[in-house]
Amino acid sequence: LAGVALALSVERRVAKGAKAWEIDKGILIRGGLIALLDPTLVSLGSGRWTFQVLLAIGLSMMCMAPLRRLPSWLLLTLGLGWLALGEFPTDWFWDPPGPSSPVAALFVGTYSSPTLAIKYPLLPWLAMMMLGWVLGRHMVRFDLGKARFSPRAILFVGGLALLAVFVVVRAEGGYGDMFLRHTNDTWQQWLHVSKYPPSLSYASIELGMLFLALAFLMTIEPLIGVRKNGPFLVFGQTAMFFYLVHRLVMEIPATYFGLRGFGDITTTYIVAAVLLVLLYPACLWYRSLKAAHPQSFLKYF
């Protein structure tokens, strides 16, 4: 989704004749600021150096400054190629269940200690961002009448194909699981896939479900319309603000007030529901603030 959003913004600016360096500068600044949030705010809340999703997103964005010049077929090949074959180079640098080295974890593996956590390696998440960029670029071309197949159709077919890949890979129980095999045939074990780092089985089921969900939302949107203050729209337009606030609201009490691991699955659902209710007006406020200052630093978040 980060790749789609970035491509929608950039490709439309390209079509309007924006200068290449101005576009690159915006991408690099935004990616750098997002990446810095992990070793600063998030690490402060976690009580240890934490390099996770924001670092991966930020660095991937910065990589897209030069990579955006590649044709879609090559970006698609690189993205799908890593998802399909990335377990091989990962195996060179990581011998699970123990951690890889911190340097390797920045690119392919995972690392965790009492003082440092690296769970989102760059290369697999950059691969997903490249796929998102290709989809966003196609959406722009389709809107301009330059592409034949609708994004909804691509998402629907792609979602079914990815779920089929998940079933095949998980049933085979070997390559594609990133060394996290299922120990029995219960549905819980089938869904217990490797996210750190992401395996082919993880990417295929998560992206497959995401694609089908997006195709469904594209189908019903013309029927139900778009509400200016609808929760999906508000949370979607303030995703970075939402993530930071909810992360710190949960992380600080867990780290500094002994609440990590508190409660059970019911507690989790209750806390999640309460946070959604409380953060909705906060996100409405932030969206208004951002709209009132379009040229401020807020435009990067």
Side-chain angles (χ1 to χ4, degrees):
L1 288 178
V4 171
L6 190 61
L8 289 174
S9 172
V10 169
E11 294 291 331
R12 286 169 179 164
R13 293 185 64 193
V14 170
K16 293 178 180 178
K19 294 180 180 179
W21 169 240
E22 288 297 323
I23 293 175
D24 289 342
K25 183 174 70 172
I27 294 174
L28 292 172
I29 292 174
R30 186 180 185 189
L33 289 173
I34 291 173
L36 284 173
L37 291 172
D38 263 348
T40 54
L41 282 178
V42 175
S43 292
L44 181 63
S46 303
R48 62 175 175 172
W49 291 108
T50 302
F51 302 138
Q52 295 188 359
V53 60
L54 296 182
L55 183 74
I57 290 176
L59 293 180
S60 295
M61 279 187 175
M62 297 175 76
C63 290
M64 289 309 303
L67 291 175
R68 69 183 182 86
R69 292 165 171 81
L70 298 179
S72 294
W73 69 265
L74 184 52
L75 287 174
L76 190 64
T77 301
L78 292 172
L80 292 177
W82 181 270
L83 293 186
L85 303 174
E87 192 166 315
F88 289 118
T90 302
D91 190 32
W92 301 340
F93 300 99
W94 183 44
D95 185 23
S100 65
S101 72
V103 175
L106 287 172
F107 296 95
V108 294
T110 182
Y111 180 85
S112 183
S113 75
T115 58
L116 174 64
I118 305 173
K119 291 188 176 182
Y120 283 77
L122 172 62
L123 292 180
W125 297 103
L126 174 59
M128 294 193 202
M129 183 169 283
M130 287 191 286
L131 296 179
W133 187 284
V134 172
L135 176 59
R137 178 182 284 172
H138 179 81
M139 293 172 73
V140 173
R141 287 177 51 81
F142 183 79
D143 287 344
L144 296 174
K146 297 181 179 180
R148 177 181 176 185
F149 298 104
S150 71
R152 182 177 64 176
I154 291 174
L155 287 167
F156 181 73
V157 174
L160 292 178
L162 285 167
L163 291 181
V165 168
F166 167 76
V167 172
V168 171
V169 169
R170 207 62 175 148
E172 192 273 335
Y175 181 85
D177 286 335
M178 200 60 77
F179 322 113
L180 184 61
R181 321 295 186 211
H182 56 84
T183 57
N184 56 54
D185 285 328
T186 61
W187 66 267
Q188 292 94 335
Q189 277 294 311
W190 266 67
L191 296 179
H192 185 211
V193 291
S194 174
K195 181 182 179 182
Y196 310 109
S199 62
L200 175 59
S201 55
Y202 169 85
S204 58
I205 188 173
E206 295 292 341
L207 292 178
M209 292 190 297
L210 174 67
F211 281 16
L212 293 180
L214 290 174
F216 172 73
L217 292 173
M218 287 180 176
T219 301
I220 66 171
E221 181 183 327
L223 303 177
I224 66 175
V226 177
R227 291 180 296 154
K228 178 182 177 182
N229 294 328
F232 276 14
L233 185 62
V234 172
F235 288 137
Q237 292 177 330
T238 57
M240 182 60 65
F241 175 80
F242 175 92
Y243 175 82
L244 277 176
V245 173
H246 105 280
R247 176 68 186 263
L248 294 175
V249 165
M250 290 184 167
E251 196 81 58
I252 290 174
T255 302
Y256 298 106
F257 297 96
L259 293 180
R260 192 174 302 280
F262 173 80
D264 54 18
I265 189 65
T266 302
T267 311
T268 301
Y269 280 116
I270 293 173
V271 171
V274 170
L275 270 182
L276 284 172
V277 173
L278 294 178
L279 284 176
Y280 174 74
C283 288
L284 271 176
W285 166 82
Y286 180 75
R287 185 179 68 170
S288 299
L289 179 67
K290 188 175 178 179
H293 302 86
Q295 298 305 318
S296 70
F297 76 96
L298 296 176
K299 67 182 179 181
Y300 296 113
F301 301 101

